[in-house]
């Protein structure tokens, strides 16, 4: 199927368009074991957000001998300056091929890139997948390419509940899907885009600082295998309250190690804290919702289909929502669970 969709314009040009979803981690990756291999200090586990995607067209052109390969990337119509991550991904593919190629990427997202909604995960997962399909690379190679772009992008390469294993001396870091998205059709994600005034510290810089300075991080790493297993087991049995508690505890712990870093790193703002308190009051009688926050103030709420309307009404009555500066939330998005990347043209 993919072979049919990959367009070989001629021997010297390949064009392919793919889509990949961003993902949100229930147990988060924070800290690298190896900066060169982009391997993590702990396992992480995530779900893909179905309503959001990056749509990416790769055009690969064979380069004549003696000619230099020039790569370009444009995101939402704007050409960007290639940083080391992009260069590394492209170099890594070129090193595997027997002749030289140049790569041109044109990517568009149906969600705001600046809103901190794991856009790099969707973007690099799409680029890695497109390169993999264009040049018949193995799944391991695709995962590695995605990871070189952005660690969390490797999790956007597979459907459903996806674990990124840190690996060890014997085993390379890898990703695996435990369940397809169809395993839990009633699970819903509510994404609350929070107004962000502060310029936040990049995940790369934040991870380095935490790994270098936080004593609490060792505690978090010790607890990680049990937490991961808890997520897998509760997802398997669709035990929402256990999944919810583990997810909220991990988010809180991740932000605690950020605060334990020196100087401390703050990603949550007062609106994020109001959301945390709102969810706990919503859960007073029984656990019906869970929050998780990445390296920024936006919330991703997990809930079940039956509680969603009540939760979303509560959000609308508790916060001012809109684009203007004085509003607390920019927007609210509702999604089901997403699958892995696919070839679309
Ligand atoms: O993949 P990066 O470098 O954008 O780091 C992602 C870090 C978190 O979003 C905070 C956690 C995670 O596992 O996605």
């Amino acid at each position: 199927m993919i072979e049919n969709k990959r367009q070989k314009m001629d021997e010297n040009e390949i064009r392919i368009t793919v889509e990949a979803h961003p993902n949100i981690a229930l147990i988060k990756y924070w800290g690298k074991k190896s900066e060169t291999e982009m391997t993590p200090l702990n396992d992480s586990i995530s779900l893909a957000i179905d309503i959001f995607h990056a749509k990416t067209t790769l055009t690969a052109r064979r380069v004549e001998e003696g000619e230099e390969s020039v790569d370009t990337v444009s995101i939402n119509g704007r050409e960007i300056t290639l940083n080391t991550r992009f260069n590394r991904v492209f170099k890594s593919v070129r090193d595997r091929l027997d002749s030289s190629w140049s790569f041109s990427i044109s990517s568009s997202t149906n969600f705001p890139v600046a809103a901190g909604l794991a856009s790099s995960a969707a973007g690099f997962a799409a680029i890695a997948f497109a390169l993999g399909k264009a040049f018949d690379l193995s799944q391991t190679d695709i995962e590695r390419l995605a990871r070189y772009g952005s660690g969390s992008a490797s999790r956007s390469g597979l459907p459903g509940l996806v674990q990124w294993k840190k690996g060890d001396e014997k085993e390379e870091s890898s990703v695996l899907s435990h369940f397809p998205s169809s395993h839990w059709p009633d699970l819903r994600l509510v994404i609350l885009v929070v107004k962000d005034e502060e310029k936040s510290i990049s995940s790369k810089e934040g991870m380095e600082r935490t790994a270098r300075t936080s004593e609490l991080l060792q505690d978090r790493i010790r607890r990680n295998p049990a937490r991961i297993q808890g997520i897998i087991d509760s997802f398997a049995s669709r035990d929402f309250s256990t999944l919810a508690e583990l997810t909220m505890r991990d988010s809180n712990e991740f932000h605690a190690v950020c605060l334990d870093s020196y100087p401390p790193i703050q990603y949550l703002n007062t609106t994020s804290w109001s959301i945390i308190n709102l969810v706990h009051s919503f859960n007073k009688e029984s656990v019906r919702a869970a929050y998780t926050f990445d390296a920024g103030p936006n919330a991703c709420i997990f809930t079940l289909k039956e509680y969603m309307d009540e939760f979303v009404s509560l959000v609308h009555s508790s916060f001012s929502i809109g684009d203007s500066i004085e509003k607390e939330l920019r927007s609210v998005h509702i999604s089901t669970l997403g699958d892995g990347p696919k070839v679309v043209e």
Side-chain angles (χ1 to χ4, degrees):
M1 187 184 88
I2 284 155
E3 278 304 309
N4 295 340
K5 285 191 169 174
R6 181 181 69 185
Q7 294 175 35
K8 246 200 173 103
M9 318 306 279
D10 56 47
E11 282 309 300
N12 298 318
E13 186 167 312
I14 301 172
R15 184 170 302 155
I16 186 167
T17 300
V18 305
E19 275 179 12
H21 300 291
N23 68 77
I24 180 82
L26 292 83
I27 304 291
K28 296 188 193 299
Y29 146 55
W30 198 248
K32 292 184 187 77
K33 187 163 60 185
S34 158
E35 182 69 47
T36 42
E37 269 318 295
M38 290 286 280
T39 47
L41 284 172
N42 62 274
D43 286 17
S44 55
I45 196 159
S46 66
L47 292 165
I49 306 174
D50 192 53
I51 45 151
F52 296 144
H53 64 248
K55 184 173 179 180
T56 298
T57 299
L58 159 73
T59 309
R61 284 189 197 87
R62 205 188 290 269
V63 171
E64 304 279 311
E65 254 198 60
E67 199 187 318
E68 220 181 295
S69 41
V70 181
D71 306 318
T72 59
V73 175
S74 82
I75 299 174
N76 293 332
R78 281 185 45 199
E79 184 123 347
I80 61 158
T81 312
L82 299 194
N83 58 25
T84 49
R85 291 179 178 214
F86 283 104
N87 287 328
R88 180 140 187 236
V89 171
F90 297 139
K91 178 177 182 314
S92 168
V93 181
R94 259 194 290 274
D95 288 350
R96 280 174 178 69
L97 305 175
D98 49 15
S99 57
S100 198
W101 292 76
S102 68
F103 306 117
S104 166
I105 301 286
S106 169
S107 193
S108 59
T109 59
N110 67 346
F111 57 97
V113 171
L117 293 167
S119 54
S120 65
F124 278 112
I127 293 172
F129 185 71
L131 287 165
K133 293 304 163 198
F135 295 104
D136 295 322
L137 304 179
S138 67
Q139 180 58 28
T140 309
D141 281 340
I142 296 176
E143 279 169 25
R144 200 181 300 119
L145 286 178
R147 196 172 82 212
Y148 284 172
S150 170
S152 57
S154 60
R155 295 190 311 245
S156 274
L158 292 176
L161 184 71
V162 179
Q163 180 180 1
W164 178 20
K165 292 179 154 190
K166 65 186 165 83
D168 54 29
E169 289 73 28
K170 288 183 233 107
E171 203 188 1
E172 189 182 337
S173 172
S174 61
V175 288
L176 85 149
S177 168
H178 289 277
F179 296 95
S181 61
S182 57
H183 179 77
W184 203 340
D186 285 355
L187 201 59
R188 291 289 179 278
L189 286 75
V190 182
I191 296 100
L192 306 177
V193 180
V194 173
K195 185 179 73 170
D196 188 7
E197 285 160 340
E198 302 297 320
K199 192 181 168 330
S200 58
I201 297 167
S202 72
S203 56
K204 179 181 186 313
E205 205 185 323
M207 283 185 207
E208 278 165 10
R209 192 186 298 177
T210 304
R212 201 166 17 91
T213 61
S214 166
E215 291 172 18
L216 210 56
L217 182 67
Q218 294 314 316
D219 241 39
R220 172 170 163 76
I221 292 170
R222 233 188 336 269
R223 262 192 293 278
N224 177 263
R227 288 257 167 100
I228 292 276
Q229 197 53 51
I231 292 285
I232 297 167
D233 293 345
S234 55
F235 197 88
S237 59
R238 299 185 196 89
D239 170 358
F240 184 77
S241 63
T242 304
L243 183 101
E245 182 170 336
L246 286 169
T247 300
M248 291 188 279
R249 281 185 178 274
D250 187 73
S251 176
N252 295 340
E253 192 183 77
F254 155 55
H255 291 281
V257 299
C258 288
L259 281 183
D260 187 50
S261 307
Y262 194 81
I265 305 163
Q266 184 191 352
Y267 287 123
L268 305 180
N269 65 19
T270 51
T271 308
S272 314
W273 271 100
S274 302
I275 295 167
I276 292 174
N277 293 329
L278 186 82
V279 169
H280 285 293
S281 73
F282 187 70
N283 287 347
K284 217 165 197 127
E285 302 295 316
S286 64
V287 181
R288 298 182 295 162
Y291 52 78
T292 186
F293 297 83
D294 277 352
N298 301 320
C300 179
I301 310 293
F302 292 101
T303 188
L304 294 173
K305 190 177 161 196
E306 58 191 297
Y307 310 129
M308 211 196 54
D309 288 348
E310 190 184 333
F311 182 76
V312 172
S313 320
L314 186 63
V315 167
H316 277 92
S317 59
S318 310
F319 297 101
S320 56
I321 305 171
D323 250 344
S324 72
I325 193 84
E326 73 276 5
K327 307 283 187 191
E328 296 158 296
L329 295 183
R330 290 260 174 265
S331 52
V332 178
H333 310 263
I334 296 163
S335 182
T336 51
L337 307 184
D339 283 314
K342 59 176 192 268
V343 178
V344 290
E345 277 163 38

